[in-house]
Amino acid sequence: AALEVMVELLPRSRGAAFERAASQAHAALAERVVAWITSVDGWVVRPEVSFSRFGERGVIDILAWHAATRSLLVIELKTEIVDVGELLGTLDRKLRNGMEVAIGLGWSAMSVSGLLVVAESDVNRRRVAEHRATFQASFPDRIIGLRAWLAAPVGTVRALMFFANRHPRTANDRLTAVRRVRKGSKPAVRRGRGSIHA
């Protein structure tokens, strides 16, 4: 406590039950995001695209391509935010290699954008709120800008959104501490900018 060090436990099982559950959650999130992106005219996607260039290796969760504008969108999926530094470094590596990876798919990109999709949960919102300045610096574009960009890609975007069921939401407009609601009480309905429905 004196050093303000927090220890987090990561449960694992010999039967790999936790790993399977995490994989299933990731696959379910990917399915919803793919359906959402492909519902926007002009976009095609490739999930789980691997690459290896000059010692850098990785797998891009979803690579989206808009042929008319030659725009590439690298999408990183996170069912749980654990290590913020690793998360940002991983996405940066994928963005750096995006154009070359796209060439292997026959896509000659003029621009590469990035989108971090985080599964909706109180824990994930709290972790984003704890690193508010970092996430805002890394993902300056809000959901309203991303929505307009997807409809007509011009330039590049870097955005973060929470994705719950079929309704992705922005993180940038609500990077505040998570409020707890007492059992039995009804949470207030919040309306305004920052929501998008796939």
Side-chain angles (χ1 to χ4, degrees):
L3 297 175
E4 298 183 352
V5 174
M6 180 175 64
V7 177
E8 295 185 349
L9 301 180
L10 178 62
R12 293 188 181 277
S13 160
R14 288 184 180 180
F18 291 107
E19 288 83 351
R20 285 198 299 271
S23 178
Q24 291 171 357
H26 187 277
L29 180 61
E31 180 72 16
R32 294 194 297 269
V33 174
V34 166
W36 171 56
I37 294 293
T38 54
S39 71
V40 182
D41 289 342
W43 287 95
V44 296
V45 303
R46 291 288 183 89
E48 302 294 326
V49 181
S50 62
F51 65 90
S52 178
R53 296 185 65 250
F54 305 112
E56 290 192 312
R57 296 178 176 84
V59 177
I60 298 174
D61 292 328
I62 300 174
L63 195 59
W65 170 245
H66 191 268
T69 58
R70 296 171 63 185
S71 299
L72 194 68
L73 180 62
V74 174
I75 303 175
E76 179 77 359
L77 306 176
K78 282 295 175 184
T79 56
E80 182 180 5
I81 295 177
V82 178
D83 187 325
V84 173
E86 181 183 7
L87 185 160
L88 297 178
T90 297
L91 180 55
D92 182 68
R93 181 170 66 251
K94 295 175 182 180
L95 288 169
R96 285 200 311 272
N97 289 278
M99 282 193 177
E100 293 297 327
V101 175
I103 289 175
L105 299 174
W107 301 340
S108 179
M110 291 291 292
S111 66
V112 181
S113 295
L115 172 62
L116 173 62
V117 177
V118 181
E120 176 73 61
S121 74
D122 286 349
V123 172
N124 283 339
R125 281 197 175 271
R126 183 166 61 250
R127 287 176 176 164
V128 169
E130 289 169 352
H131 300 275
R132 176 175 181 168
T134 297
F135 279 108
Q136 285 187 332
S138 300
F139 305 99
D141 295 297
R142 299 193 176 189
I143 201 68
I144 191 169
L146 173 66
R147 183 180 187 179
W149 184 86
L150 285 171
V154 176
T156 61
V157 295
R158 288 285 292 267
L160 181 156
M161 66 164 54
F162 288 103
F163 211 106
N165 296 324
R166 295 174 58 192
H167 302 283
R169 303 173 184 175
T170 181
N172 296 321
D173 289 338
R174 289 192 289 166
L175 291 178
T176 56
V178 176
R179 296 186 301 172
R180 297 187 180 278
V181 179
R182 287 180 298 179
K183 187 175 182 180
S185 64
K186 295 182 179 181
V189 177
R190 301 182 63 179
R191 300 184 183 278
R193 67 172 185 165
S195 63
I196 177 173
H197 303 285

